[in-house]
Amino acid sequence: MCKKTHRTSAQWIAELRGNLGPFPQHEAHYDLSAYLYVVLSNQLTTRRSSLPRIATLHSQEINCLIEDFLQSFMLKMTQNDYALLDKFSGTGRFLAWAAQVSINMMMSEMRKVEWRNQSLSSEKIYVDSETVMPEIEAMRSDLAEGIDESLAHLPERYQQALRRCIMNGDCAKDVAEDLGISQNAVNILVYRAKKAMRKQLKRRGIGPEALTVFA
């Protein structure tokens, strides 16, 4: 739930850019993230039935997916000295504009072919365990080896953020305090690390089914 969404549009822009100092900037980033999380969650819920792959995901996986889309928007917003904010015309409410931009980004990604065509049939889910077990063990072994080798190629901070936030389940706030950076910076590190890991693992021939954690 947002702590504060009653800023004027001008206040949102100034605080997000850091014009009023680091603390108001941090608060603005947090409040905008919290607001857009709800927006994206509601939007994805209404579109879920039309996206077979999404319909197969559990609620926790959906939440992680929403967080990834949110991180993509926040990262894009901060790039090139917050150039994205220059596109806000100043008419209407800033929150309404930010919501529409984030939704457009998410739906643009969701319109890609792989989101519509990758659904699991019951035949793929309910199969004889004796047949699947060797394949699962082989995939796990290959994935574990691939993860270790791929992690070793990432910058140190990428490794720390990914290990703690994704593999250890630590919250971004705690990681940010330990690394001496902002929570938003940690989220960006995780986003970039996951993107790099996907590329590394795909080079090893590991298919999309095994890459869910890095989606």
mmCIF file of all heavy atoms in Angstrom, residues 99-148:
data_model
loop_
_atom_site.group_PDB
_atom_site.id
_atom_site.type_symbol
_atom_site.label_atom_id
_atom_site.label_comp_id
_atom_site.label_asym_id
_atom_site.label_seq_id
_atom_site.Cartn_x
_atom_site.Cartn_y
_atom_site.Cartn_z
ATOM 1 N N ALA A 99 1.008 4.860 -14.601
ATOM 2 C CA ALA A 99 0.292 3.589 -14.639
ATOM 3 C C ALA A 99 0.117 3.107 -16.075
ATOM 4 O O ALA A 99 0.345 1.936 -16.384
ATOM 5 C CB ALA A 99 -1.070 3.737 -13.954
ATOM 6 N N GLN A 100 -0.272 4.011 -16.969
ATOM 7 C CA GLN A 100 -0.492 3.635 -18.361
ATOM 8 C C GLN A 100 0.806 3.218 -19.040
ATOM 9 O O GLN A 100 0.840 2.244 -19.810
ATOM 10 C CB GLN A 100 -1.134 4.790 -19.126
ATOM 11 C CG GLN A 100 -1.642 4.393 -20.499
ATOM 12 C CD GLN A 100 -2.663 3.268 -20.436
ATOM 13 O OE1 GLN A 100 -3.683 3.388 -19.772
ATOM 14 N NE2 GLN A 100 -2.385 2.161 -21.111
ATOM 15 N N VAL A 101 1.890 3.936 -18.753
ATOM 16 C CA VAL A 101 3.183 3.582 -19.353
ATOM 17 C C VAL A 101 3.631 2.204 -18.877
ATOM 18 O O VAL A 101 4.097 1.375 -19.665
ATOM 19 C CB VAL A 101 4.250 4.640 -19.011
ATOM 20 C CG1 VAL A 101 5.635 4.180 -19.487
ATOM 21 C CG2 VAL A 101 3.900 5.979 -19.658
ATOM 22 N N SER A 102 3.507 1.947 -17.584
ATOM 23 C CA SER A 102 3.933 0.651 -17.044
ATOM 24 C C SER A 102 3.072 -0.484 -17.591
ATOM 25 O O SER A 102 3.577 -1.567 -17.902
ATOM 26 C CB SER A 102 3.901 0.670 -15.516
ATOM 27 O OG SER A 102 2.583 0.857 -15.031
ATOM 28 N N ILE A 103 1.779 -0.247 -17.737
ATOM 29 C CA ILE A 103 0.890 -1.255 -18.310
ATOM 30 C C ILE A 103 1.257 -1.524 -19.763
ATOM 31 O O ILE A 103 1.310 -2.676 -20.209
ATOM 32 C CB ILE A 103 -0.580 -0.807 -18.205
ATOM 33 C CG1 ILE A 103 -1.064 -0.866 -16.758
ATOM 34 C CG2 ILE A 103 -1.482 -1.686 -19.088
ATOM 35 C CD1 ILE A 103 -2.435 -0.264 -16.545
ATOM 36 N N ASN A 104 1.527 -0.459 -20.514
ATOM 37 C CA ASN A 104 1.896 -0.618 -21.924
ATOM 38 C C ASN A 104 3.181 -1.445 -22.054
ATOM 39 O O ASN A 104 3.292 -2.301 -22.949
ATOM 40 C CB ASN A 104 2.088 0.744 -22.581
ATOM 41 C CG ASN A 104 0.777 1.480 -22.788
ATOM 42 O OD1 ASN A 104 -0.292 0.885 -22.704
ATOM 43 N ND2 ASN A 104 0.853 2.773 -23.040
ATOM 44 N N MET A 105 4.160 -1.182 -21.167
ATOM 45 C CA MET A 105 5.411 -1.937 -21.204
ATOM 46 C C MET A 105 5.151 -3.409 -20.911
ATOM 47 O O MET A 105 5.687 -4.294 -21.582
ATOM 48 C CB MET A 105 6.402 -1.357 -20.191
ATOM 49 C CG MET A 105 7.002 -0.022 -20.585
ATOM 50 S SD MET A 105 8.150 0.609 -19.314
ATOM 51 C CE MET A 105 9.359 -0.728 -19.264
ATOM 52 N N MET A 106 4.340 -3.676 -19.894
ATOM 53 C CA MET A 106 4.054 -5.057 -19.521
ATOM 54 C C MET A 106 3.317 -5.788 -20.631
ATOM 55 O O MET A 106 3.679 -6.902 -21.005
ATOM 56 C CB MET A 106 3.227 -5.094 -18.233
ATOM 57 C CG MET A 106 2.891 -6.515 -17.772
ATOM 58 S SD MET A 106 1.978 -6.585 -16.213
ATOM 59 C CE MET A 106 0.356 -5.998 -16.762
ATOM 60 N N MET A 107 2.280 -5.154 -21.191
ATOM 61 C CA MET A 107 1.485 -5.818 -22.213
ATOM 62 C C MET A 107 2.259 -5.993 -23.508
ATOM 63 O O MET A 107 2.019 -6.938 -24.263
ATOM 64 C CB MET A 107 0.186 -5.044 -22.447
ATOM 65 C CG MET A 107 -0.737 -4.986 -21.229
ATOM 66 S SD MET A 107 -0.953 -6.581 -20.391
ATOM 67 C CE MET A 107 -1.661 -7.601 -21.696
ATOM 68 N N SER A 108 3.184 -5.086 -23.787
ATOM 69 C CA SER A 108 4.040 -5.240 -24.963
ATOM 70 C C SER A 108 4.874 -6.509 -24.831
ATOM 71 O O SER A 108 5.040 -7.265 -25.800
ATOM 72 C CB SER A 108 4.952 -4.019 -25.110
ATOM 73 O OG SER A 108 5.846 -4.190 -26.191
ATOM 74 N N GLU A 109 5.369 -6.754 -23.625
ATOM 75 C CA GLU A 109 6.129 -7.979 -23.377
ATOM 76 C C GLU A 109 5.218 -9.201 -23.453
ATOM 77 O O GLU A 109 5.578 -10.234 -24.030
ATOM 78 C CB GLU A 109 6.784 -7.902 -21.997
ATOM 79 C CG GLU A 109 7.528 -9.160 -21.578
ATOM 80 C CD GLU A 109 8.754 -9.452 -22.414
ATOM 81 O OE1 GLU A 109 9.285 -8.514 -23.046
ATOM 82 O OE2 GLU A 109 9.171 -10.628 -22.450
ATOM 83 N N MET A 110 4.012 -9.082 -22.892
ATOM 84 C CA MET A 110 3.101 -10.216 -22.839
ATOM 85 C C MET A 110 2.545 -10.586 -24.211
ATOM 86 O O MET A 110 2.064 -11.695 -24.403
ATOM 87 C CB MET A 110 1.931 -9.909 -21.892
ATOM 88 C CG MET A 110 2.333 -9.589 -20.480
ATOM 89 S SD MET A 110 3.093 -10.993 -19.659
ATOM 90 C CE MET A 110 1.661 -11.952 -19.259
ATOM 91 N N ARG A 111 2.584 -9.640 -25.146
ATOM 92 C CA ARG A 111 2.073 -9.927 -26.495
ATOM 93 C C ARG A 111 3.045 -10.769 -27.315
ATOM 94 O O ARG A 111 2.704 -11.226 -28.407
ATOM 95 C CB ARG A 111 1.749 -8.628 -27.232
ATOM 96 C CG ARG A 111 0.405 -8.028 -26.843
ATOM 97 C CD ARG A 111 -0.006 -6.922 -27.790
ATOM 98 N NE ARG A 111 0.834 -5.746 -27.644
ATOM 99 C CZ ARG A 111 0.554 -4.738 -26.825
ATOM 100 N NH1 ARG A 111 -0.527 -4.776 -26.069
ATOM 101 N NH2 ARG A 111 1.357 -3.692 -26.737
ATOM 102 N N LYS A 112 4.254 -10.952 -26.797
ATOM 103 C CA LYS A 112 5.221 -11.760 -27.529
ATOM 104 C C LYS A 112 4.712 -13.194 -27.633
ATOM 105 O O LYS A 112 4.024 -13.701 -26.763
ATOM 106 C CB LYS A 112 6.575 -11.723 -26.828
ATOM 107 C CG LYS A 112 7.238 -10.352 -26.887
ATOM 108 C CD LYS A 112 8.589 -10.361 -26.209
ATOM 109 C CE LYS A 112 9.255 -8.990 -26.294
ATOM 110 N NZ LYS A 112 10.567 -8.966 -25.607
ATOM 111 N N VAL A 113 5.090 -13.856 -28.710
ATOM 112 C CA VAL A 113 4.546 -15.171 -29.035
ATOM 113 C C VAL A 113 4.722 -16.170 -27.901
ATOM 114 O O VAL A 113 3.825 -16.951 -27.602
ATOM 115 C CB VAL A 113 5.211 -15.716 -30.319
ATOM 116 C CG1 VAL A 113 4.764 -17.148 -30.581
ATOM 117 C CG2 VAL A 113 4.886 -14.821 -31.498
ATOM 118 N N GLU A 114 5.900 -16.156 -27.237
ATOM 119 C CA GLU A 114 6.148 -17.194 -26.247
ATOM 120 C C GLU A 114 5.187 -17.138 -25.069
ATOM 121 O O GLU A 114 4.899 -18.157 -24.444
ATOM 122 C CB GLU A 114 7.593 -17.112 -25.723
ATOM 123 C CG GLU A 114 7.990 -15.784 -25.090
ATOM 124 C CD GLU A 114 8.674 -14.860 -26.086
ATOM 125 O OE1 GLU A 114 8.367 -14.997 -27.286
ATOM 126 O OE2 GLU A 114 9.487 -14.032 -25.680
ATOM 127 N N TRP A 115 4.672 -15.935 -24.762
ATOM 128 C CA TRP A 115 3.734 -15.832 -23.640
ATOM 129 C C TRP A 115 2.391 -16.461 -23.980
ATOM 130 O O TRP A 115 1.679 -16.948 -23.103
ATOM 131 C CB TRP A 115 3.526 -14.369 -23.265
ATOM 132 C CG TRP A 115 4.690 -13.804 -22.528
ATOM 133 C CD1 TRP A 115 5.651 -12.963 -23.019
ATOM 134 C CD2 TRP A 115 5.046 -14.038 -21.165
ATOM 135 N NE1 TRP A 115 6.564 -12.671 -22.049
ATOM 136 C CE2 TRP A 115 6.225 -13.306 -20.911
ATOM 137 C CE3 TRP A 115 4.478 -14.795 -20.142
ATOM 138 C CZ2 TRP A 115 6.835 -13.317 -19.664
ATOM 139 C CZ3 TRP A 115 5.087 -14.789 -18.906
ATOM 140 C CH2 TRP A 115 6.258 -14.068 -18.674
ATOM 141 N N ARG A 116 2.011 -16.454 -25.255
ATOM 142 C CA ARG A 116 0.694 -16.968 -25.642
ATOM 143 C C ARG A 116 0.713 -18.458 -25.950
ATOM 144 O O ARG A 116 -0.291 -19.138 -25.806
ATOM 145 C CB ARG A 116 0.175 -16.208 -26.869
ATOM 146 C CG ARG A 116 -0.071 -14.746 -26.557
ATOM 147 C CD ARG A 116 -0.699 -14.039 -27.733
ATOM 148 N NE ARG A 116 -0.982 -12.652 -27.399
ATOM 149 C CZ ARG A 116 -2.049 -12.229 -26.760
ATOM 150 N NH1 ARG A 116 -2.950 -13.099 -26.363
ATOM 151 N NH2 ARG A 116 -2.242 -10.955 -26.489
ATOM 152 N N ASN A 117 1.859 -18.962 -26.394
ATOM 153 C CA ASN A 117 1.890 -20.329 -26.898
ATOM 154 C C ASN A 117 2.427 -21.359 -25.919
ATOM 155 O O ASN A 117 2.266 -22.552 -26.133
ATOM 156 C CB ASN A 117 2.740 -20.395 -28.176
ATOM 157 C CG ASN A 117 2.090 -19.627 -29.299
ATOM 158 O OD1 ASN A 117 0.905 -19.338 -29.252
ATOM 159 N ND2 ASN A 117 2.864 -19.287 -30.322
ATOM 160 N N GLN A 118 3.089 -20.932 -24.863
ATOM 161 C CA GLN A 118 3.690 -21.898 -23.961
ATOM 162 C C GLN A 118 2.732 -22.235 -22.823
ATOM 163 O O GLN A 118 2.738 -21.607 -21.783
ATOM 164 C CB GLN A 118 5.001 -21.348 -23.381
ATOM 165 C CG GLN A 118 6.101 -21.259 -24.407
ATOM 166 C CD GLN A 118 7.404 -20.814 -23.780
ATOM 167 O OE1 GLN A 118 7.559 -20.774 -22.573
ATOM 168 N NE2 GLN A 118 8.359 -20.460 -24.613
ATOM 169 N N SER A 119 1.888 -23.221 -23.023
ATOM 170 C CA SER A 119 1.016 -23.717 -21.968
ATOM 171 C C SER A 119 1.252 -25.211 -21.820
ATOM 172 O O SER A 119 1.578 -25.902 -22.775
ATOM 173 C CB SER A 119 -0.453 -23.454 -22.311
ATOM 174 O OG SER A 119 -0.791 -24.053 -23.527
ATOM 175 N N LEU A 120 1.085 -25.706 -20.610
ATOM 176 C CA LEU A 120 1.340 -27.113 -20.341
ATOM 177 C C LEU A 120 0.057 -27.918 -20.473
ATOM 178 O O LEU A 120 -0.961 -27.570 -19.906
ATOM 179 C CB LEU A 120 1.903 -27.283 -18.920
ATOM 180 C CG LEU A 120 3.251 -26.608 -18.674
ATOM 181 C CD1 LEU A 120 3.641 -26.789 -17.207
ATOM 182 C CD2 LEU A 120 4.321 -27.186 -19.574
ATOM 183 N N SER A 121 0.091 -28.996 -21.203
ATOM 184 C CA SER A 121 -1.062 -29.884 -21.306
ATOM 185 C C SER A 121 -1.032 -30.875 -20.156
ATOM 186 O O SER A 121 -0.003 -31.090 -19.530
ATOM 187 C CB SER A 121 -1.024 -30.643 -22.639
ATOM 188 O OG SER A 121 0.060 -31.555 -22.648
ATOM 189 N N SER A 122 -2.178 -31.502 -19.875
ATOM 190 C CA SER A 122 -2.232 -32.472 -18.792
ATOM 191 C C SER A 122 -1.324 -33.656 -19.079
ATOM 192 O O SER A 122 -0.814 -34.297 -18.164
ATOM 193 C CB SER A 122 -3.668 -32.962 -18.597
ATOM 194 O OG SER A 122 -4.168 -33.518 -19.799
ATOM 195 N N GLU A 123 -1.091 -33.950 -20.374
ATOM 196 C CA GLU A 123 -0.228 -35.069 -20.711
ATOM 197 C C GLU A 123 1.196 -34.811 -20.291
ATOM 198 O O GLU A 123 1.939 -35.714 -19.957
ATOM 199 C CB GLU A 123 -0.279 -35.335 -22.224
ATOM 200 C CG GLU A 123 -1.627 -35.838 -22.704
ATOM 201 C CD GLU A 123 -1.634 -36.062 -24.196
ATOM 202 O OE1 GLU A 123 -0.663 -35.660 -24.851
ATOM 203 O OE2 GLU A 123 -2.611 -36.638 -24.685
ATOM 204 N N LYS A 124 1.617 -33.533 -20.277
ATOM 205 C CA LYS A 124 2.973 -33.195 -19.876
ATOM 206 C C LYS A 124 3.113 -33.172 -18.357
ATOM 207 O O LYS A 124 4.192 -33.340 -17.834
ATOM 208 C CB LYS A 124 3.364 -31.832 -20.441
ATOM 209 C CG LYS A 124 3.487 -31.803 -21.955
ATOM 210 C CD LYS A 124 3.899 -30.436 -22.424
ATOM 211 C CE LYS A 124 4.041 -30.384 -23.939
ATOM 212 N NZ LYS A 124 4.414 -29.027 -24.405
ATOM 213 N N ILE A 125 2.000 -32.941 -17.663
ATOM 214 C CA ILE A 125 2.059 -32.835 -16.215
ATOM 215 C C ILE A 125 1.922 -34.198 -15.554
ATOM 216 O O ILE A 125 2.678 -34.556 -14.655
ATOM 217 C CB ILE A 125 0.944 -31.895 -15.706
ATOM 218 C CG1 ILE A 125 1.159 -30.497 -16.283
ATOM 219 C CG2 ILE A 125 0.933 -31.839 -14.187
ATOM 220 C CD1 ILE A 125 0.037 -29.540 -15.950
ATOM 221 N N TYR A 126 0.962 -35.012 -16.000
ATOM 222 C CA TYR A 126 0.697 -36.287 -15.360
ATOM 223 C C TYR A 126 1.291 -37.413 -16.200
ATOM 224 O O TYR A 126 0.671 -37.911 -17.139
ATOM 225 C CB TYR A 126 -0.816 -36.496 -15.196
ATOM 226 C CG TYR A 126 -1.442 -35.427 -14.357
ATOM 227 C CD1 TYR A 126 -2.221 -34.437 -14.942
ATOM 228 C CD2 TYR A 126 -1.235 -35.387 -12.983
ATOM 229 C CE1 TYR A 126 -2.791 -33.438 -14.166
ATOM 230 C CE2 TYR A 126 -1.800 -34.399 -12.202
ATOM 231 C CZ TYR A 126 -2.582 -33.432 -12.800
ATOM 232 O OH TYR A 126 -3.138 -32.436 -12.043
ATOM 233 N N VAL A 127 2.512 -37.784 -15.872
ATOM 234 C CA VAL A 127 3.193 -38.867 -16.568
ATOM 235 C C VAL A 127 3.813 -39.786 -15.532
ATOM 236 O O VAL A 127 3.930 -39.452 -14.360
ATOM 237 C CB VAL A 127 4.287 -38.333 -17.517
ATOM 238 C CG1 VAL A 127 3.675 -37.580 -18.665
ATOM 239 C CG2 VAL A 127 5.270 -37.439 -16.756
ATOM 240 N N ASP A 128 4.235 -40.957 -15.976
ATOM 241 C CA ASP A 128 4.796 -41.941 -15.068
ATOM 242 C C ASP A 128 6.079 -41.429 -14.433
ATOM 243 O O ASP A 128 7.004 -40.993 -15.111
ATOM 244 C CB ASP A 128 5.085 -43.239 -15.848
ATOM 245 C CG ASP A 128 5.581 -44.332 -14.932
ATOM 246 O OD1 ASP A 128 4.731 -44.906 -14.198
ATOM 247 O OD2 ASP A 128 6.788 -44.577 -14.919
ATOM 248 N N SER A 129 6.156 -41.505 -13.100
ATOM 249 C CA SER A 129 7.301 -40.948 -12.371
ATOM 250 C C SER A 129 8.594 -41.670 -12.708
ATOM 251 O O SER A 129 9.671 -41.070 -12.716
ATOM 252 C CB SER A 129 7.049 -41.016 -10.857
ATOM 253 O OG SER A 129 6.842 -42.353 -10.448
ATOM 254 N N GLU A 130 8.531 -42.979 -12.995
ATOM 255 C CA GLU A 130 9.742 -43.716 -13.306
ATOM 256 C C GLU A 130 10.341 -43.260 -14.624
ATOM 257 O O GLU A 130 11.544 -43.333 -14.843
ATOM 258 C CB GLU A 130 9.440 -45.222 -13.358
ATOM 259 C CG GLU A 130 9.053 -45.804 -11.998
ATOM 260 C CD GLU A 130 8.815 -47.290 -12.085
ATOM 261 O OE1 GLU A 130 8.936 -47.837 -13.215
ATOM 262 O OE2 GLU A 130 8.515 -47.912 -11.049
ATOM 263 N N THR A 131 9.468 -42.780 -15.537
ATOM 264 C CA THR A 131 9.944 -42.300 -16.830
ATOM 265 C C THR A 131 10.579 -40.928 -16.709
ATOM 266 O O THR A 131 11.591 -40.630 -17.330
ATOM 267 C CB THR A 131 8.780 -42.225 -17.838
ATOM 268 O OG1 THR A 131 8.201 -43.511 -17.949
ATOM 269 C CG2 THR A 131 9.266 -41.765 -19.197
ATOM 270 N N VAL A 132 9.981 -40.068 -15.873
ATOM 271 C CA VAL A 132 10.435 -38.686 -15.773
ATOM 272 C C VAL A 132 11.651 -38.527 -14.880
ATOM 273 O O VAL A 132 12.515 -37.696 -15.125
ATOM 274 C CB VAL A 132 9.290 -37.803 -15.235
ATOM 275 C CG1 VAL A 132 9.781 -36.387 -14.977
ATOM 276 C CG2 VAL A 132 8.155 -37.785 -16.234
ATOM 277 N N MET A 133 11.776 -39.337 -13.822
ATOM 278 C CA MET A 133 12.793 -39.109 -12.815
ATOM 279 C C MET A 133 14.217 -38.974 -13.370
ATOM 280 O O MET A 133 14.918 -38.023 -13.029
ATOM 281 C CB MET A 133 12.745 -40.235 -11.775
ATOM 282 C CG MET A 133 13.621 -39.955 -10.548
ATOM 283 S SD MET A 133 13.118 -38.436 -9.694
ATOM 284 C CE MET A 133 11.538 -38.955 -9.027
ATOM 285 N N PRO A 134 14.698 -39.867 -14.225
ATOM 286 C CA PRO A 134 16.062 -39.698 -14.748
ATOM 287 C C PRO A 134 16.241 -38.387 -15.509
ATOM 288 O O PRO A 134 17.286 -37.752 -15.433
ATOM 289 C CB PRO A 134 16.236 -40.908 -15.677
ATOM 290 C CG PRO A 134 15.243 -41.907 -15.187
ATOM 291 C CD PRO A 134 14.068 -41.099 -14.722
ATOM 292 N N GLU A 135 15.192 -37.985 -16.260
ATOM 293 C CA GLU A 135 15.282 -36.748 -17.021
ATOM 294 C C GLU A 135 15.345 -35.552 -16.090
ATOM 295 O O GLU A 135 16.085 -34.591 -16.333
ATOM 296 C CB GLU A 135 14.082 -36.632 -17.963
ATOM 297 C CG GLU A 135 14.021 -37.733 -19.011
ATOM 298 C CD GLU A 135 12.775 -37.620 -19.863
ATOM 299 O OE1 GLU A 135 11.998 -36.675 -19.640
ATOM 300 O OE2 GLU A 135 12.585 -38.471 -20.749
ATOM 301 N N ILE A 136 14.533 -35.595 -15.017
ATOM 302 C CA ILE A 136 14.525 -34.488 -14.061
ATOM 303 C C ILE A 136 15.882 -34.372 -13.373
ATOM 304 O O ILE A 136 16.427 -33.287 -13.214
ATOM 305 C CB ILE A 136 13.407 -34.690 -13.012
ATOM 306 C CG1 ILE A 136 12.041 -34.530 -13.670
ATOM 307 C CG2 ILE A 136 13.556 -33.702 -11.860
ATOM 308 C CD1 ILE A 136 10.877 -34.751 -12.728
ATOM 309 N N GLU A 137 16.430 -35.516 -12.959
ATOM 310 C CA GLU A 137 17.725 -35.501 -12.275
ATOM 311 C C GLU A 137 18.822 -34.968 -13.191
ATOM 312 O O GLU A 137 19.699 -34.217 -12.762
ATOM 313 C CB GLU A 137 18.077 -36.911 -11.789
ATOM 314 C CG GLU A 137 17.221 -37.406 -10.643
ATOM 315 C CD GLU A 137 17.273 -36.480 -9.445
ATOM 316 O OE1 GLU A 137 18.358 -35.952 -9.142
ATOM 317 O OE2 GLU A 137 16.219 -36.259 -8.817
ATOM 318 N N ALA A 138 18.766 -35.350 -14.463
ATOM 319 C CA ALA A 138 19.771 -34.874 -15.412
ATOM 320 C C ALA A 138 19.647 -33.368 -15.609
ATOM 321 O O ALA A 138 20.648 -32.655 -15.677
ATOM 322 C CB ALA A 138 19.611 -35.605 -16.748
ATOM 323 N N MET A 139 18.389 -32.884 -15.699
ATOM 324 C CA MET A 139 18.171 -31.454 -15.882
ATOM 325 C C MET A 139 18.650 -30.683 -14.660
ATOM 326 O O MET A 139 19.283 -29.628 -14.776
ATOM 327 C CB MET A 139 16.685 -31.171 -16.131
ATOM 328 C CG MET A 139 16.385 -29.701 -16.443
ATOM 329 S SD MET A 139 14.621 -29.388 -16.722
ATOM 330 C CE MET A 139 14.003 -29.506 -15.044
ATOM 331 N N ARG A 140 18.339 -31.208 -13.469
ATOM 332 C CA ARG A 140 18.768 -30.541 -12.245
ATOM 333 C C ARG A 140 20.280 -30.448 -12.159
ATOM 334 O O ARG A 140 20.846 -29.424 -11.772
ATOM 335 C CB ARG A 140 18.224 -31.295 -11.022
ATOM 336 C CG ARG A 140 16.738 -31.089 -10.778
ATOM 337 C CD ARG A 140 16.269 -31.959 -9.636
ATOM 338 N NE ARG A 140 14.866 -31.741 -9.334
ATOM 339 C CZ ARG A 140 14.152 -32.507 -8.531
ATOM 340 N NH1 ARG A 140 14.720 -33.545 -7.920
ATOM 341 N NH2 ARG A 140 12.871 -32.234 -8.309
ATOM 342 N N SER A 141 20.947 -31.536 -12.511
ATOM 343 C CA SER A 141 22.404 -31.564 -12.456
ATOM 344 C C SER A 141 23.015 -30.566 -13.431
ATOM 345 O O SER A 141 23.932 -29.816 -13.090
ATOM 346 C CB SER A 141 22.899 -32.983 -12.775
ATOM 347 O OG SER A 141 24.308 -33.018 -12.798
ATOM 348 N N ASP A 142 22.477 -30.563 -14.648
ATOM 349 C CA ASP A 142 22.979 -29.647 -15.676
ATOM 350 C C ASP A 142 22.701 -28.200 -15.290
ATOM 351 O O ASP A 142 23.537 -27.314 -15.480
ATOM 352 C CB ASP A 142 22.322 -29.973 -17.019
ATOM 353 C CG ASP A 142 22.994 -29.227 -18.167
ATOM 354 O OD1 ASP A 142 24.219 -29.031 -18.111
ATOM 355 O OD2 ASP A 142 22.287 -28.832 -19.105
ATOM 356 N N LEU A 143 21.492 -27.948 -14.723
ATOM 357 C CA LEU A 143 21.134 -26.592 -14.328
ATOM 358 C C LEU A 143 22.015 -26.104 -13.188
ATOM 359 O O LEU A 143 22.480 -24.965 -13.190
ATOM 360 C CB LEU A 143 19.663 -26.542 -13.910
ATOM 361 C CG LEU A 143 19.128 -25.167 -13.482
ATOM 362 C CD1 LEU A 143 19.280 -24.154 -14.606
ATOM 363 C CD2 LEU A 143 17.667 -25.278 -13.062
ATOM 364 N N ALA A 144 22.260 -26.983 -12.195
ATOM 365 C CA ALA A 144 23.108 -26.601 -11.055
ATOM 366 C C ALA A 144 24.518 -26.248 -11.516
ATOM 367 O O ALA A 144 25.105 -25.249 -11.084
ATOM 368 C CB ALA A 144 23.148 -27.737 -10.037
ATOM 369 N N GLU A 145 25.056 -27.068 -12.419
ATOM 370 C CA GLU A 145 26.387 -26.797 -12.951
ATOM 371 C C GLU A 145 26.391 -25.500 -13.752
ATOM 372 O O GLU A 145 27.320 -24.685 -13.640
ATOM 373 C CB GLU A 145 26.832 -27.966 -13.846
ATOM 374 C CG GLU A 145 28.216 -27.784 -14.441
ATOM 375 C CD GLU A 145 28.614 -28.942 -15.342
ATOM 376 O OE1 GLU A 145 27.899 -29.978 -15.344
ATOM 377 O OE2 GLU A 145 29.623 -28.821 -16.055
ATOM 378 N N GLY A 146 25.333 -25.312 -14.557
ATOM 379 C CA GLY A 146 25.249 -24.099 -15.365
ATOM 380 C C GLY A 146 25.134 -22.854 -14.519
ATOM 381 O O GLY A 146 25.734 -21.824 -14.824
ATOM 382 N N ILE A 147 24.358 -22.923 -13.432
ATOM 383 C CA ILE A 147 24.189 -21.774 -12.546
ATOM 384 C C ILE A 147 25.513 -21.390 -11.900
ATOM 385 O O ILE A 147 25.884 -20.213 -11.849
ATOM 386 C CB ILE A 147 23.128 -22.069 -11.468
ATOM 387 C CG1 ILE A 147 21.729 -22.071 -12.104
ATOM 388 C CG2 ILE A 147 23.189 -21.040 -10.342
ATOM 389 C CD1 ILE A 147 20.633 -22.459 -11.152
ATOM 390 N N ASP A 148 26.241 -22.390 -11.388
ATOM 391 C CA ASP A 148 27.517 -22.118 -10.735
ATOM 392 C C ASP A 148 28.503 -21.448 -11.686
ATOM 393 O O ASP A 148 29.168 -20.467 -11.340
ATOM 394 C CB ASP A 148 28.128 -23.416 -10.188
ATOM 395 C CG ASP A 148 27.377 -23.944 -8.971
ATOM 396 O OD1 ASP A 148 26.661 -23.138 -8.345
ATOM 397 O OD2 ASP A 148 27.505 -25.137 -8.663
#
